[in-house]
Amino acid sequence: MSISSPDTCISHNNNNLPNLSNKSNGMRGNKYNCNNSGTPRTRLERLLRERELRKFNKSLNDGETELSNNDSFSPDSFEAFSWFNDEESLETISANRCSTDGCERQDSRTSRERLLVVANRLPVSAVRRGVDSWHLEISVGGLVSALLGVKEFETRWIGWAGVNVPDEIGQRALIKALAEKRCIPVFLDEEIVHQYYNGYCNNILWPLFHYLGLPQEDRLATTRSFQSQFDAYKKANQMFAEVVKEHYVEGDVVWCHDYHLMFLPKCLKERNRKMKVGWFLHTPFPSSEIHRTLPSRSELLRSVLAADLVGFHTYDYARHFVSACTRILGLEGTPEGVEDQGRLTRVAAFPIGIDSDRFIRALELPQVQDHMKELKERFAGRKVMLGVDRLDMIKGIPQKILAFENFLEENPNWRDKVVLLQIAVPTRTDVPEYQKLTSQVHEIVGRINGRFGTLTAVPIHHLDRSLDFHALCALYAVTDVALVTSLRDGMNLVSYEFVACQASKKGVLILSEFAGAAQSLGAGAILVNPWNVTEVASSIGYALNMPADEREKRHHHNFVHVTTHTSQEWAATFVSELNDTIVEAQLRTRQIPPPLPIEVAVDRYAKSNNRLLILGFNATLTEPVDTLGRKGSQIKEMEPKLRPDLQEPLRKLCDDPKTTIVVLSGSDRSVLDDNFGDYSMWLAAENGMFLRATKGDWMTTMPENLNMEWVDSVKHVFEYFTERTPRSHFELRETSLIWNYKYADVEFGRLQARDLLQHLWTGPISNASLDVVQGSRSIEVRSVGVTKGAAIDRILGEIVHKKGMKEPIDYVLCIGHFLAKDEDIYTFFEPELPSEVPAPVRSHVTPPVRTSVSKLSTSRSLSREDRLKKHRPMPTIERSKSYHVNTDVFQSRVVDRMSLQEGSSVLDLQGDNYFSCSVARKRSNARYLLRSSDDVVKLLTELTNSWIDSMNTDGSTMEGN
């Protein structure tokens, strides 16, 4: 997943920006309001323009008053702890940042877009001082400082304040106090917090996402069951959604954060589909094999996919997410994200950074210089190694200390020349697993110090507490080697902070390959596998003995990255990408057929005199199946059955003398016989190559010269790949062969399909006149010209002849889940209009189209050369009394032939009386869209009721007469 964005243009009202001006006003535009000169038309142009714009704005702000160096600090900005003692409000910080230019955009603030940042915790901690009094402590690190750099938006924060406030007086007072900080609280009771936060978030999702697996039942005892925790999780997310809805104003951008709120995008979209929603995960996303163990796996994935943009720290995490969606949900993964029936959720990597300038400036402060002097004197003559971590299972602290012990064992000459300073910030001290980890670390440290220490010095200094910002910057600055041995980490910003403070020392960074930062700083750092203690020990020796020129080169590479990819740049990039994703989605939506206006279709049906209903079968009249083949879905799809709730509506519509129903399918004749043998309708099997009225015999509409000699060779290829692709199968029909790998492993099936196509093109069909039709997960080989659209003219002529129609057809309803190759049936009935006017947007009444059978096979074919140019019109129809269901023989026994009655009027169709509907395919040539077969049931039921009502009305009129 590359960081990409739609082909759109962004206009800004900054006249001082050289070569980036735009005549249009407003924040952002789209393809239709951009002018052609100087406007980015491609994605790359837009990204470059946005980058230059941010650099220019940054240069304008160089003289601004920045954040106070007394601000709080968090070594891992998105982890479960923070170090802060600063009470400066976000409002004050914002004022400081714009003080030098007279608070820029002050009078245009109301016109700026609002950014609603939704996170589990607000960037404040609230302490109650009285019935209606609250004291707020502000954390100005990580996400807060990152979003201060996005000046195009007016930011509001929504989240839990970290306290239980059961009384209304306290809630009103807290809301008022937080409003001054641009914060909006979500009130969660203790039970919800216990089940949602302590239970599902910290006991299930967090361990799973860090590859620690799901808890066993004994660990679930204190927080009940998976289901009760998940129910609380959903309820909490819905409570967040209600607060967002209450404060949402049209045009706002909503940015949801982290695994606590995976259900939130779906909740928001259900309340307002036009809402701009982005979601970002600050932890790793595990491989699909890990994620699939989660009981609520599918529901969480679909909830996240409701967002417009989904962001991760690294490409690996994004790839794992897309893989989970394809393997667990059966959706289509693309280079841009995940596609579900035409709707694309963009998935991209956005590596976060730090406010590097804050650390660089801090090194010049007197108090930091004093700390540095003190540390240099304290550890004079010794190399300083540093570790700064939360005391957590994923941080690899025991592995780090054991590797240091191994180094001391193998290198006795270094024992009195190096010291390891380990800052371990306590977290979740009430959890038994964390208490056990603390004891384990203390035991290892004590053993090593007792073994290698002296009366005057010990090799490890271990602190179970946090340091203030100034002391930490000083410690970073005097360190020779930083050691990060995370077993699994979303990013780990300690490595960034170390690099930012090393302009003078140019120390070496040893970094775990399992930390997200390894993908950004890997070229300048020494990457290690923390589980390999010997490798880490060897890397320590290499780092301590590294030549100065190599240290400088490594540091320069990392320093450039850290100072360029800042937290402000990260936030600005994500928000910009989200806006562009919305624009592209709007453009894509314009290409999607609109929903079928059922009331209009039913009304036109009732007013017409001779109706033709053409219905597909698979995925149109059948029950939906699980694409992954659970609960016997693969067997159900191989033996498709008519939906039970469609049987009665179809039977009644068949009884209507003014209505002709044709079921047109690619399925075998026996399948249609089994499902529709008792109905009075027409059946067209194998894409219309075989036709019969249910009261008559099958006839073939195949051209006389149709060559089927290729079948055996293609069949051998399909058999070969079916044997070697588990859960794939192929169908042998009289006019085509289909290999289906819908239920096979997604990646393996795709590779096998590519290999199969290569075998076909270089072998059996290299010189044959055949069409290879690729579905989403199927490959069909058929003779050229075998399509539903090519067959409909002959089918229609036979139906008119057999029924002896006296009136022309004045209403056509065509519904199906057809392959793109077969969508020529939708355009077959389209009235002749200028090609630049798409069918779905036609609003005027078109002139009637009158034609005859002869015209159907000649003039219409000429007007649609791309559709029928390879298909010779069929002057005769062959009628067959019997056929072999096993399709071993590809020639039906011909009993007799009957010529079509040319010249008889067939169609008198106005544009407003033609309804073509694609079922669940948003990329379609059809005029309208039906979301699923459930909508088909609703439509046919409405048509049935309309006909019954008209019958009752006619009966009443006759009685009155």
Side-chain angles (χ1 to χ4, degrees), residues 90-109:
L90 303 181
E91 200 69 62
T92 305
I93 296 166
S94 299
N96 287 342
R97 290 184 65 85
C98 64
S99 60
T100 56
D101 60 356
C103 227
E104 67 176 85
R105 304 183 189 90
Q106 186 84 28
D107 28 5
S108 65
R109 174 174 293 183

Side-chain angles (χ1 to χ4, degrees), residues 28-263:
R28 285 176 169 81
N30 57 35
K31 291 182 179 179
Y32 300 105
N33 62 20
C34 295
N35 79 44
N36 293 328
S37 59
T39 300
R41 303 297 296 179
T42 67
R43 183 175 304 155
L44 179 59
E45 289 175 355
R46 187 205 63 77
L47 286 173
L48 293 174
R49 189 179 190 279
E50 283 287 310
R51 180 173 177 268
E52 291 302 316
L53 179 66
R54 287 197 290 271
K55 288 172 62 177
F56 180 77
N57 287 336
K58 186 176 185 300
S59 67
L60 293 180
N61 297 331
D62 280 343
E64 291 184 356
T65 302
E66 296 293 345
L67 296 175
S68 168
N69 286 302
N70 291 322
D71 292 343
S72 60
F73 166 75
S74 171
D76 261 331
S77 305
F78 300 99
E79 300 294 341
F81 76 106
S82 61
W83 296 320
F84 55 86
N85 52 23
D86 188 356
E87 299 180 12
E88 183 176 14
S89 71
L90 303 181
E91 200 69 62
T92 305
I93 296 166
S94 299
N96 287 342
R97 290 184 65 85
C98 64
S99 60
T100 56
D101 60 356
C103 227
E104 67 176 85
R105 304 183 189 90
Q106 186 84 28
D107 28 5
S108 65
R109 174 174 293 183
T110 55
S111 64
R112 286 192 295 166
E113 284 186 90
R114 294 201 318 167
L115 176 63
L116 302 183
V117 180
V118 191
N120 176 61
R121 289 290 297 270
L122 289 172
V124 301
S125 289
V127 179
R128 195 164 190 172
R129 294 291 176 83
V131 176
D132 58 353
S133 175
W134 290 88
H135 171 71
L136 303 179
E137 292 181 344
I138 310 295
S139 172
V140 193
L143 188 57
V144 180
S145 60
L147 291 173
L148 287 174
V150 189
K151 291 191 173 183
E152 296 90 347
F153 293 87
E154 185 177 329
T155 305
R156 294 288 186 273
W157 300 78
I158 298 176
W160 178 46
V163 291
N164 180 33
V165 190
D167 59 298
E168 292 186 8
I169 296 176
Q171 290 184 4
R172 286 196 298 267
L174 182 57
I175 291 173
K176 183 177 179 181
L178 289 172
E180 299 176 2
K181 320 300 186 202
R182 296 186 178 181
C183 294
I184 303 165
V186 177
F187 294 106
L188 305 175
D189 60 50
E190 290 185 2
E191 178 63 17
I192 288 289
V193 171
H194 180 60
Q195 293 269 44
Y196 146 72
Y197 182 69
N198 297 328
Y200 200 78
C201 292
N202 289 341
N203 197 38
I204 295 180
L205 289 182
W206 190 90
L208 188 77
F209 282 12
H210 289 86
Y211 291 79
L212 299 179
L214 292 173
Q216 302 301 317
E217 286 302 320
D218 58 333
R219 291 175 57 195
L220 283 171
T222 57
T223 48
R224 302 184 188 170
S225 66
F226 281 113
Q227 190 57 47
S228 65
Q229 291 178 26
F230 186 55
D231 291 342
Y233 181 86
K234 290 192 292 185
K235 182 176 180 180
N237 276 247
Q238 289 164 355
M239 294 170 72
F240 274 86
E242 286 300 322
V243 175
V244 173
K245 179 184 176 183
E246 182 181 346
H247 294 86
Y248 174 81
V249 178
E250 186 175 355
D252 286 354
V253 175
V254 184
W255 191 0
C256 311
H257 287 269
D258 230 353
Y259 59 93
H260 311 87
L261 301 175
M262 293 181 73
F263 203 70

Side-chain angles (χ1 to χ4, degrees), residues 364-649:
E364 301 173 359
L365 298 175
Q367 55 267 50
V368 176
Q369 292 290 330
D370 292 342
H371 277 300
M372 290 171 61
K373 182 179 179 182
E374 179 183 343
L375 290 169
K376 288 177 181 178
E377 293 174 354
R378 175 71 179 80
F379 300 111
R382 305 174 75 180
K383 293 283 188 178
V384 177
M385 297 178 58
L386 175 65
V388 180
D389 306 278
R390 280 188 303 113
L391 192 52
D392 200 308
M393 278 86 70
I394 67 166
K395 295 300 181 179
I397 296 177
Q399 286 80 1
K400 178 190 306 184
I401 299 173
L402 290 173
F404 184 62
E405 179 184 30
N406 185 286
F407 170 75
L408 295 178
E409 289 174 346
E410 299 293 331
N411 301 273
N413 57 312
W414 275 102
R415 292 177 183 176
D416 58 348
K417 297 178 182 179
V418 65
V419 60
L420 172 62
L421 309 181
Q422 177 62 53
I423 312 300
V425 182
T427 180
R428 303 186 70 185
T429 54
D430 57 333
V431 178
E433 287 85 353
Y434 286 78
Q435 295 171 354
K436 182 179 179 180
L437 175 65
T438 302
S439 300
Q440 181 186 12
V441 171
H442 289 172
E443 179 184 341
I444 298 173
V445 170
R447 175 169 55 80
I448 296 174
N449 283 339
R451 181 182 178 188
F452 298 106
T454 65
L455 291 175
T456 57
V458 292
I460 301 177
H461 288 250
H462 180 87
L463 277 71
D464 279 331
R465 66 180 182 87
S466 61
L467 296 181
D468 65 68
F469 177 68
H470 297 144
L472 195 64
C473 287
L475 195 53
Y476 280 141
V478 302
T479 296
D480 296 284
V481 178
L483 196 52
V484 177
T485 55
S486 303
L487 305 181
R488 192 72 60 173
D489 224 344
M491 197 65 181
N492 194 291
L493 297 179
V494 168
S495 54
Y496 279 62
E497 293 159 0
F498 167 75
V499 171
C501 295
Q502 283 287 311
S504 174
K505 192 84 169 182
K506 295 179 175 56
V508 181
L509 173 64
I510 298 177
L511 181 59
S512 167
E513 64 187 58
F514 300 115
Q519 293 197 14
S520 303
L521 305 180
I526 300 176
L527 297 184
V528 296
N529 176 0
W531 294 100
N532 189 338
V533 173
T534 304
E535 178 191 353
V536 178
S538 175
S539 298
I540 291 174
Y542 183 77
L544 291 173
N545 293 293
M546 185 178 292
D549 59 337
E550 184 180 350
R551 287 206 319 269
E552 186 167 350
K553 289 178 181 178
R554 287 176 176 268
H555 169 74
H556 176 74
H557 182 279
N558 285 344
F559 188 78
V560 169
H561 181 89
V562 168
T563 53
T564 304
H565 297 80
T566 63
S567 55
Q568 292 84 1
E569 182 71 14
W570 164 78
T573 301
F574 186 92
V575 175
S576 173
E577 184 92 357
L578 176 56
N579 262 316
D580 293 338
T581 299
I582 296 296
V583 173
E584 186 172 280
Q586 292 171 346
L587 297 177
R588 189 182 296 109
T589 301
R590 295 174 188 175
Q591 301 170 1
I592 297 175
L596 174 69
I598 292 181
E599 292 183 2
V600 176
V602 172
D603 179 66
R604 295 283 179 177
Y605 175 88
K607 294 178 180 178
S608 57
N609 295 314
N610 192 5
R611 307 129 180 173
L612 175 64
L613 272 56
I614 302 175
L615 308 176
F617 182 47
N618 290 323
T620 303
L621 303 179
T622 58
E623 293 187 4
V625 294
D626 179 6
T627 57
L628 297 178
R630 302 185 187 95
K631 301 178 182 178
S633 297
Q634 182 172 1
I635 303 300
K636 290 180 181 178
E637 183 165 313
M638 293 173 67
E639 299 177 359
K641 298 294 182 183
L642 175 67
R643 289 182 61 138
D645 49 0
L646 274 174
Q647 294 176 1
E648 191 61 25

